[in-house]
Amino acid sequence: MTIEIIGPEVEAHLDWIALTEALKQGHLLPLSGIGDTFLYREDDTLLSRSAWIDGLGVAVKSATIVPENRRAGRPLVNGVVTLFDDVTGYPLALVDFHLVTKWKTAGDSLLAARLLARPESRHILIVGAGAVAASMIEAYSAAFPEASFRVWARKRDAAEALALRYPGVRAVSDLEEAASTADIIATCTMSSTPVIEGRWIQPGTHLDLIGAYRPDMREVDDETMRRASIFVNARATTIHHIGELMKPVAAGVITEDDVIADFYDIDRGDFRRESAEEITLCKNGGGAHLDLMTSRYILDAWRARNG
């Protein structure tokens, strides 16, 4: 039995649009079983996220988070995704953690944008200047090749540094102006308080909320939630887990019933925009089932590359 070892070198053979199609197909399969475990040693953390989808297989995504690594110039987070065969349970591959995380996160948001953003969208605003922001520029460029990009970050030099990496991308300092003229807004921050205000948003905009992942975090205000048609990538990983939805629900601004659809509703035709003037919003909450779908896509691309 051979176990494939798949690293960043496969990235040149991956395709953003093909990944979104793989994610759509994955959501036609039975609902995934998901489990998370955490182990702690003082400030260090071991996180394991697992998923089993009947007909696709099993993935266990394990990562260590060691804050002390920063002082030594080492990566804070390190890990690997282990893929197992659906029928036999045999291990199939070890896939680079950072590769899976990048493509899963951006691919998830790109799938939502392909379904919810207006096809003629030409002005894309990226809020944040970290690794996720960079991957969103790459992903959106695949689906909206004629779009122009602007980047805003609290630290102007970080936005400028990101813009320099991609031809035609421009750093901006006026967030309100940039948001009020954007067709697509992707928030990729670690903010615990809203950075986007609903009064800025023009009709027809699509908002892609990525950064918040804890109950105390959110990136848009209550007015944004009131004005938007709300979608999520997965109800199970968002509604009761992330402040973006938990806080406005608790305050009575919205209800859980205001979440129109998640990716498991795509096949029924519910995950879609109703009009050109509609403001759409999708919360990307991740999930181990998406790690499994993405890892399986990467393994298939790796095997195709190697004949």
Side-chain angles (χ1 to χ4, degrees):
M1 180 176 59
T2 301
I3 300 176
E4 309 269 14
I5 309 296
I6 305 175
E9 64 275 6
V10 74
E11 189 164 29
H13 303 274
L14 304 181
D15 178 87
W16 289 109
I17 303 301
L19 171 59
T20 62
E21 292 301 318
L23 294 176
K24 285 173 65 176
Q25 291 302 310
H27 284 87
L28 298 178
L29 296 171
L31 188 68
S32 171
I34 298 174
D36 292 350
T37 61
F38 296 83
L39 296 176
Y40 303 99
R41 183 190 65 185
E42 298 180 349
D43 293 335
D44 302 337
T45 303
L46 170 63
L47 163 65
S48 289
R49 310 188 74 177
S50 56
W52 193 326
I53 299 176
D54 188 19
L56 191 63
V58 180
V60 179
K61 180 180 178 181
S62 299
T64 55
I65 306 166
V66 182
E68 190 65 25
N69 279 352
R70 283 187 174 135
R71 293 188 181 184
R74 295 188 294 260
L76 173 70
V77 181
N78 294 280
V80 67
V81 178
T82 308
L83 274 178
F84 298 87
D85 183 76
D86 181 54
V87 176
T88 66
Y90 291 163
L92 298 176
L94 299 175
V95 190
D96 179 77
F97 172 91
H98 298 288
L99 179 69
V100 173
T101 300
K102 170 186 173 177
W103 282 77
K104 180 276 298 283
T105 302
D108 180 315
S109 289
L110 182 61
L111 174 56
R114 291 186 68 200
L115 296 169
L116 297 176
R118 290 177 293 120
E120 68 271 19
S121 296
R122 293 293 180 270
H123 303 289
I124 299 177
L125 172 64
I126 308 295
V127 182
V132 174
S135 62
M136 288 315 306
I137 293 173
E138 297 173 16
Y140 280 140
S141 295
F144 305 92
E146 298 180 13
S148 62
F149 289 84
R150 289 173 291 178
V151 177
W152 179 91
R154 286 192 173 95
K155 295 181 178 179
R156 173 66 188 235
D157 57 344
E160 291 177 345
L162 178 59
L164 286 173
R165 292 169 52 188
Y166 298 95
V169 176
R170 180 166 60 92
V172 296
S173 56
D174 189 334
L175 179 58
E176 179 178 351
E177 188 281 331
S180 66
T181 56
D183 298 313
I184 298 173
I185 301 172
T187 56
C188 315
T189 74
M190 301 277 285
S191 184
S192 58
T193 57
V195 293
I196 295 294
E197 298 184 23
R199 63 186 179 88
W200 299 343
I201 310 303
Q202 66 175 342
T205 301
H206 171 63
L207 294 107
D208 173 18
L209 311 184
I210 304 170
Y213 61 90
R214 296 194 314 244
D216 61 339
M217 299 174 73
R218 63 186 305 192
E219 298 181 295
V220 302
D221 67 356
D222 287 345
E223 182 63 16
T224 305
M225 303 302 285
R226 286 191 192 97
R227 295 186 65 196
S229 298
I230 301 171
F231 301 81
V232 295
N233 72 314
R235 289 181 172 88
T237 63
T238 54
I239 296 177
H240 299 291
H241 299 277
I242 299 174
E244 206 75 79
L245 291 164
M246 293 173 65
K247 289 189 175 186
V249 167
V253 175
I254 60 171
T255 70
E256 291 185 25
D257 291 338
D258 287 319
V259 177
I260 296 169
D262 71 5
F263 285 168
Y264 281 103
D265 300 312
I266 291 174
D267 191 45
R268 295 208 303 264
D270 295 337
F271 201 101
R272 61 188 175 91
R273 161 182 293 275
E274 294 290 344
S275 73
E277 298 298 300
E278 183 180 12
I279 295 171
T280 57
L281 176 156
C282 185
K283 176 55 194 162
N284 178 341
H289 61 301
L290 294 160
D291 291 312
L292 170 54
M293 295 175 194
T294 302
S295 299
R296 186 70 217 201
Y297 163 72
I298 292 172
L299 174 60
D300 291 343
W302 173 261
R303 287 177 168 173
R305 170 201 172 187
N306 290 289

